[in-house]
Amino acid sequence: MFKGDFLPGAPLYPSARPVSVKSLDEFTERMGELARTTLTSLHERVIGTQILVFGNVAVAAAACENTENQGEVNRNVEMLLLVKSEGHWKIAAQAWDKETNSVPIPAELLVDF
């Protein structure tokens, strides 16, 4: 189901630096490898969103809280470029970055959630 949310060829830009584009297949393969080794569980909870829509295009920002292995909690912001085609929204590109003490999630992204 995860892959079905994306347009074919949609690039993903994880938070690691230097920036490195990943294909959807590369990303899901890496997550599968982690699930077989060090990542025993991952729960993602959306804690805020902002969406801007114009016609058949949209940009969405989602603040998320991730709990890994039922313990370590991290927060990040995911940015998605969306395109509507045949009545369905699909992700054309996605990038995300982790929250740090020096780069906190903006308060306006957490409003009303």
Side-chain angles (χ1 to χ4, degrees):
M1 182 169 157
F2 177 78
K3 286 184 175 185
D5 294 333
F6 292 81
L7 288 173
L12 288 88
Y13 298 90
S15 58
R17 295 295 178 263
V19 69
S20 175
V21 65
K22 300 293 181 200
S23 71
L24 189 55
D25 287 339
E26 289 171 324
F27 178 77
T28 55
E29 184 176 305
R30 179 178 178 275
M31 293 305 294
E33 288 174 14
L34 289 173
R36 289 185 292 279
T37 57
T38 60
L39 186 63
T40 58
S41 67
L42 174 65
H43 175 74
E44 182 172 71
R45 182 173 71 96
V46 175
I47 56 176
T49 60
Q50 287 185 358
I51 301 170
L52 179 61
V53 179
F54 179 79
N56 291 306
V57 295
V59 177
C64 301
E65 182 177 88
N66 297 318
T67 304
E68 297 179 10
N69 298 330
Q70 299 177 3
E72 184 179 346
V73 177
N74 295 296
R75 295 185 349 159
N76 69 320
V77 173
E78 301 174 10
M79 300 286 191
L80 300 100
L81 174 62
L82 302 155
V83 176
K84 191 173 189 179
S85 178
E86 299 177 7
H88 300 282
W89 290 100
K90 296 285 185 170
I91 301 168
Q94 181 175 357
W96 60 95
D97 205 355
K98 292 181 182 179
E99 178 182 54
T100 64
N101 289 335
S102 60
V103 184
I105 293 175
E108 62 269 16
L109 187 53
L110 300 174
V111 174
D112 297 324
F113 220 89

